Amino acid sequence: MRKMSLVLSVLVILSLLFSFSLVWAQEGASELEIKTADAAFEAADKGNPDPAWKGQKLTIGVYSAGPRGAISGPLYFWRPYFEKLTGATYDIVEIPFAELREKIFTDLMTGTGTYDIIVGPSWFYGDYISNDWIVPSDKYLNDPRMPKWEPASILPPLQELYSWGGKWVGFNNDHDGQVLYYRRDILNDPKWQEEFKKETGKDMPVPPKTWDEVYEITKFFHGKDWNGDGEPDYGITMHLKVAGQGFFHFMALSAPYVVAPAPGDDPNKVTRYHNVYWFDPETMEPLVNTPGFVEALNMLLKLSKTGPSAMWGWSLGEAWDAFLRGKAVICFSWGDVGSLSQLPDQSSIKGKLGVAPIPGSEKYYDLETKQWVEKRNFVANTVGASWHGVISKFSKNQDLAAYFLSWQATPPINHWNVVWGWTGVDPGTLYDLLQPTGKSTIEEYVATGYEAEDAKQFVNAYEEMWYKYPLKQSYLRIPGTPEMWEIWDIHLSEAVTGQVTPEEALNRTAEDWNAIIDRLGREQLKKIYQEAIGYKPE
């Protein structure tokens, strides 16, 4: 008994020392963050770290957002825990968004191996795979040294982003898709509902289901002092700056105008004309300048006029800030907004958050009949990066890199990253969704600071979009994707800022995409594209 007491005393002292060292190491972290992180650390599977890793060092290349910023922030936060686990450490190399492709691809093309791990976007996969640049995560799933994570817990539309050819390639981390955020307190206020009906002759649609309904609401509220601060407020906020990820707005908005359900018993069947978004799968001719895209871009321009003109120069953070400070009644974006809205130092709208799946359209364009179909259409999206780690084939520490990424992918660590909004890691697993569909409870979210109804609206909006929407937008993962999206971003900005018409901006995009396709090899890209979207020529 005396021996047991001595052991327990030592463990308590070590535990206190460990906690103290982590509090010291995590500058800026709250006591609640440290407490819940310690619990997640204890609960996570730790595998069997190889003693030979002690003293080794990794280098991780990641999107640049700082020690308390999205995606890069968790790497700083968890580093002391990783050092405690393995005796190894890592350097973090932050890369600005606009320089990601150049710096990472140059390192891989030259075989330099600067980065052991790349925490990058999913649209790099076409180049990763076709050039054989990365080590698949499949290799480590049954390695007894590795912590166990749950690939099957990742929701089906997102599993496709982490795998290739039926095998796992990346390690679970972030899960992106855009949903609609609105001010629940304002749109449900009887005073504003009465004013809306008086001005428009219609009942206010809460939540708005289509982009036309979104426009009606943002147009009504824009310029009114609906938050009572004595100044006019905005209808919508978006980030529209070139190289500021603004083109993702258009991607999510345009999908229901473009993606048409297949006729017959299976509306999800991929044919030459149905459930396609990017290219004609028979010719690789871009669809980006077809009537559905033009209609959608006209809607984006209408919406942009119900927000501040300054947002044409806004990046992600500035657009989110306008909504979180209570200046915009609506925004549509990634899961970050849901979790950031609960942080008192960044948000004034906690307890006022409404969330709905991404809106649909009142009509869609049928590529086969070349006619509009006057019917509501709803299309789920995985728009965004879904930032996650892959291992460079040129890394000299591949096993240690796999250990770090497997440990970060375990449910306790990954779910901790999800519920703390500043991390930029968004929900997308069964252990993030609420019971009975998922494994989480509302109490888990409340325990980390969420207001209960906000959390319910936030998580359930993603569940509805990814589980109940009839159609989904395909994700582009062919070689050349990063270059194509950068070009698209520039031409969309030309339209939004009035330099050219929507038709001209999209025609320019199609012309430039065709040049890239011809340069890289149309037949090769067509084969990869067909496989990626599940198209089988008849």
Side-chain angles (χ1 to χ4, degrees), residues 222-388:
H222 187 57
K224 291 184 171 69
D225 178 21
W226 47 262
N227 67 8
D229 65 357
E231 297 177 354
D233 303 305
Y234 315 138
I236 197 168
T237 175
M238 294 185 279
H239 52 101
L240 299 174
K241 178 183 177 182
V242 172
Q245 305 183 56
F247 63 95
F248 286 117
H249 280 317
F250 183 60
M251 210 181 284
L253 185 154
S254 60
Y257 294 93
V258 176
V259 179
D265 297 335
D266 183 7
N268 291 293
K269 183 179 180 181
V270 179
T271 76
R272 182 176 182 182
Y273 305 108
H274 306 97
N275 294 295
V276 290
Y277 179 82
W278 299 101
F279 303 99
D280 180 330
E282 286 290 330
T283 64
M284 280 304 284
E285 187 65 26
L287 301 175
V288 72
N289 56 347
T290 52
F293 279 99
V294 176
E295 184 77 7
L297 187 48
N298 279 315
M299 174 57 77
L300 182 72
L301 294 180
K302 284 169 60 177
L303 284 171
S304 73
K305 291 178 173 55
T306 65
S309 57
M311 66 187 182
W312 294 346
W314 280 357
S315 296
L316 201 58
E318 293 158 302
W320 287 347
D321 185 58
F323 182 71
L324 296 171
R325 286 188 298 109
K327 291 295 292 180
V329 79
I330 276 180
C331 77
F332 61 106
S333 192
W334 293 288
D336 309 68
V337 174
S339 46
L340 286 171
S341 70
Q342 306 303 296
L343 302 182
D345 61 335
Q346 299 191 43
S347 166
S348 64
I349 64 169
K350 183 177 178 179
K352 303 170 182 175
L353 184 69
V355 193
I358 200 75
S361 58
E362 298 287 354
K363 61 182 181 180
Y364 61 88
Y365 187 74
D366 189 319
L367 290 166
E368 185 172 24
T369 63
K370 295 184 171 34
Q371 292 183 335
W372 284 97
V373 178
E374 300 290 334
K375 184 179 179 182
R376 286 192 168 191
N377 196 35
F378 296 92
V379 180
N381 72 81
T382 52
V383 159
S386 287
W387 302 96
H388 63 273

Side-chain angles (χ1 to χ4, degrees), residues 65-86:
R68 290 285 290 181
I71 303 302
S72 58
L75 300 178
Y76 289 94
F77 184 89
W78 291 107
R79 184 161 54 185
Y81 294 85
F82 177 71
E83 292 170 348
K84 188 76 180 176
L85 261 177
T86 62

